[in-house]
Amino acid sequence: RLAIPILILAVALLAPVAAPAAKPPSAKEQMEFGVKMARRGLWSEALFRFKKAEEMQPGDAKTLNNLAVAYEAIGQFEMALEHYQKALRASPSNRDLKKNYARFVEFYQGFKPEGEDEETSDEASAEDESDGAAGRA
């Protein structure tokens, strides 16, 4: 008589252990969710998702670009600059990255602290000259 309730209790206790764990989201899924959050204006969540994707696929130009855009959106301009530059190093011929970077640099020049070197504007000019892209699309 006691064997059946004990067996039921044992199965109930072991079921969560035996069940397979949910597969964590892939880098692609993290990116897709991050983009959805960005479109809704939820930049902190988007940034979190893009960071997760970057952990899974370090050095991916698209992920680095999305990180840069998210940092820019939340006002962390130094981090945005760093990630735009990393994205360009990862994919130097990507026209979309070059355009994003050039737009950012144009915007960022107004916020740059006094006395900061001119490296940022020099790099943007070199990028524009190398591919013929100029100004906003």
Side-chain angles (χ1 to χ4, degrees):
R1 283 188 129 152
L2 268 176
I4 292 177
I6 291 174
L7 182 60
I8 292 172
L9 181 60
V11 169
L13 291 174
L14 292 176
V17 174
K23 185 180 110 184
S26 67
K28 181 182 177 187
E29 291 167 328
Q30 293 285 7
M31 285 284 289
E32 289 171 354
F33 190 72
V35 169
K36 286 179 186 177
M37 295 300 99
R39 286 183 178 146
R40 293 181 182 175
L42 302 172
W43 287 104
S44 293
E45 181 65 25
L47 181 62
F48 175 80
R49 297 301 171 166
F50 297 149
K51 285 179 179 179
K52 289 291 184 189
E54 209 273 328
E55 289 172 8
M56 295 174 195
Q57 290 183 318
D60 177 69
K62 187 174 181 179
T63 303
L64 291 166
N65 180 69
N66 285 354
L67 279 165
V69 171
Y71 279 122
E72 183 178 354
I74 64 172
Q76 291 188 15
F77 303 126
E78 289 293 322
M79 292 296 289
L81 176 62
E82 178 183 328
H83 283 82
Y84 278 124
Q85 291 172 339
K86 284 181 181 180
L88 282 170
R89 283 192 296 272
S91 183
S93 61
N94 185 314
R95 288 186 180 271
D96 292 331
L97 290 176
K98 288 180 180 183
K99 287 178 186 177
N100 284 351
Y101 179 68
R103 288 178 186 148
F104 172 74
V105 169
E106 182 180 330
F107 163 79
Y108 182 63
Q109 292 304 312
F111 291 160
K112 192 170 66 170
E114 289 288 326
E116 189 173 297
D117 65 8
E118 295 298 319
E119 179 181 330
T120 304
S121 63
D122 292 343
E123 287 177 10
S125 296
E127 292 293 337
D128 285 347
E129 290 170 11
S130 69
D131 102 311
R136 297 183 184 268

